[in-house]
Amino acid sequence: MEQDFNFRILQVQDNNIQFIAEKITITVDRFSYVDGKHEINSPQTANAQFVCCGSKYIVENTDGVATVEEWYTEELLPKMQMLSLLLGNTPV
């Protein structure tokens, strides 16, 4: 099933680009739009951040997930949800 994403995209300092969806912000240096997805040109340099239970978490794309959409759905959102459950917060 194809998921529809509503990322807010901003250009920030050092010519980086941020993709913001709900509580997660993904920062990349460059991307290409390929087959309806935002392909990260240098996946290992991408990072993401989110706040859970008052603490800020930073996640590096060490596995080199190729697109913003895949990284968001397959790693970042599940991590944030699991952390929220473990810390006793209401599921997101």
Side-chain angles (χ1 to χ4, degrees), residues 17-76:
I17 299 105
Q18 288 186 333
F19 293 83
I20 304 166
E22 298 185 31
K23 298 179 181 182
I24 298 173
T25 300
I26 299 170
T27 304
V28 303
D29 56 359
R30 292 180 320 279
F31 75 95
S32 303
Y33 196 68
V34 179
D35 295 328
K37 293 186 178 181
H38 299 92
E39 189 172 289
I40 305 168
N41 291 17
S42 304
Q44 284 80 9
T45 64
N47 66 68
Q49 63 182 6
F50 59 87
V51 175
C52 183
C53 300
S55 295
K56 181 178 176 180
Y57 295 88
I58 298 174
V59 181
E60 302 291 330
N61 190 6
T62 55
D63 290 336
V65 180
T67 70
V68 170
E69 291 81 0
E70 290 169 353
W71 195 28
Y72 180 85
T73 58
E74 295 173 12
E75 182 177 351
L76 298 171

